Amino acid sequence: MEAKEEDVSLGANKYPERQPIGIAAQSQDDGKDYKEPPPAPLFEPGELTSWSFYRAGIAEFIATFLFLYITVLTVMGVLKGPTKCQTVGIQGIAWAFGGMIFALVYCTAGISGGHINPAVTFGLFLARKLSLTRAVFYIIMQTLGAIAGAAVVKAFENKNHFFELNGGGANSVAHGYTKGSGLGAEIIGTFVLVYTVFSATDAKRSARDSHVPILAPLPIGFAVFLVHLATIPITGTGINPARSLGAAIIYNKKHAWDDHWIFWVGPFIGAALAALYHVVVIRAIPFKNK
């Protein structure tokens, strides 16, 4: 048993990087079960000459492409059915979003951290988990991937202009709800997601509960599923600015742009609040060593 524990200790973080999003980082320091990882610098010039930096960006592009392809195609399938009883319905749409996040975070966590969402990247940047250079690069690649994914869906589903006549999967505030309600739904929904990301990937929690394996993609995907169940009737559920922008650009009708600001402002506020809550309240990092 001791030999196995030693193997795990030696194998953990063989190639030390900043804490990835999809796996719980583990660390030991002279008998202590946990050491606070250092904050990421604002700018790391060395990243721009590293292949791993660009490989991570490519992984974010592909993951967001696949995310939009599966999820928007699912939405189109529900709209195509004569009745929702003959399709997967809202529950199926929510499962498509949550399930894809689970799968894609699992696949890309060891390469890029598995963000797949500018709001997640923004929240982690505010918590000093990655540099500004990497954050900007990730957001650009996520946005391009989302546009490409939505474009492929349009190519498949635009017979008789079906894609354009049915909204193209673009987000908007539903009739009967105010812009304030839509903004609030996006803020709270993104807070749930980013708070879950911080909690599921917390290095201290991993060290403290090292006897309990933590599979971070599962709670993250489940959080996305639950938020979609709650807010699809309100905004169609954004909580991911790249997802909202990709669908809006490919659909490109006035309806898609009227409330589009909500799907950037809301997620970024929600991510900032989740980062603040995790760093100041849950971890109390500003108050340590005082």
Side-chain angles (χ1 to χ4, degrees), residues 168-180:
N171 291 115
S172 62
V173 178
H175 293 296
Y177 293 95
T178 65
K179 292 186 189 307

Side-chain angles (χ1 to χ4, degrees), residues 49-72:
T49 60
S50 169
W51 165 241
S52 64
F53 176 77
Y54 297 100
R55 182 184 66 168
I58 294 169
E60 287 293 308
F61 173 89
I62 295 297
T64 316
F65 166 81
L66 294 173
F67 179 61
L68 266 287
Y69 170 73
I70 293 295
T71 55
V72 176

Side-chain angles (χ1 to χ4, degrees), residues 5-269:
E5 291 177 353
E6 183 180 0
D7 291 341
V8 171
S9 177
L10 292 173
N13 297 328
K14 183 178 179 181
Y15 303 101
E17 295 181 354
R18 303 205 179 277
Q19 183 185 348
I21 303 314
I23 56 176
Q26 299 183 20
S27 61
Q28 293 182 347
D29 179 45
D30 299 330
K32 296 180 181 180
D33 64 350
Y34 174 72
K35 180 180 179 181
E36 192 71 48
L42 188 63
F43 179 67
E44 285 188 288
E47 286 186 321
L48 299 177
T49 60
S50 169
W51 165 241
S52 64
F53 176 77
Y54 297 100
R55 182 184 66 168
I58 294 169
E60 287 293 308
F61 173 89
I62 295 297
T64 316
F65 166 81
L66 294 173
F67 179 61
L68 266 287
Y69 170 73
I70 293 295
T71 55
V72 176
L73 199 59
T74 302
V75 172
M76 292 293 101
V78 170
L79 294 173
K80 185 178 288 186
T83 66
K84 285 190 172 132
C85 293
Q86 295 179 309
T87 68
V88 295
I90 288 179
Q91 293 86 349
I93 293 173
W95 274 120
F97 278 89
M100 280 304 290
I101 288 297
F102 168 71
L104 293 170
V105 170
Y106 181 84
C107 291
T108 60
I111 301 171
S112 66
H115 297 197
I116 322 170
N117 185 336
V120 171
T121 299
F122 180 66
L124 292 163
F125 165 70
L126 292 180
R128 303 292 302 277
K129 300 293 185 183
L130 71 163
S131 68
L132 177 62
T133 313
R134 186 173 291 263
V136 171
F137 183 50
Y138 276 15
I139 290 173
I140 292 171
M141 296 303 282
Q142 290 158 359
T143 302
L144 293 175
I147 294 169
V152 172
V153 174
K154 181 177 180 178
F156 287 176
E157 293 287 350
N158 207 31
K159 183 178 180 181
N160 298 323
H161 302 286
F162 176 82
F163 182 87
E164 295 175 353
L165 292 174
N166 287 276
N171 291 115
S172 62
V173 178
H175 293 296
Y177 293 95
T178 65
K179 292 186 189 307
S181 297
L183 181 62
E186 289 296 306
I187 291 173
I188 297 172
T190 311
F191 180 91
V192 171
L193 169 59
V194 179
Y195 176 40
T196 303
V197 169
F198 276 114
S199 298
T201 61
D202 190 347
K204 182 176 182 180
R205 180 178 181 183
S206 175
R208 184 188 64 211
D209 302 330
S210 57
H211 62 288
V212 180
I214 299 176
L215 185 60
L218 182 59
I220 294 171
F222 200 64
V224 171
F225 164 69
L226 292 174
V227 171
H228 275 76
L229 282 182
T231 60
I232 282 176
I234 304 173
T235 61
T237 309
I239 68 170
N240 183 333
R243 171 263 186 273
S244 300
L245 181 63
I249 286 178
I250 299 303
Y251 177 56
N252 199 28
K253 302 292 182 184
K254 181 178 181 300
H255 176 66
W257 298 111
D258 286 342
D259 305 321
H260 186 72
W261 64 272
I262 290 173
F263 302 100
W264 283 87
V265 175
F268 273 52
I269 292 175

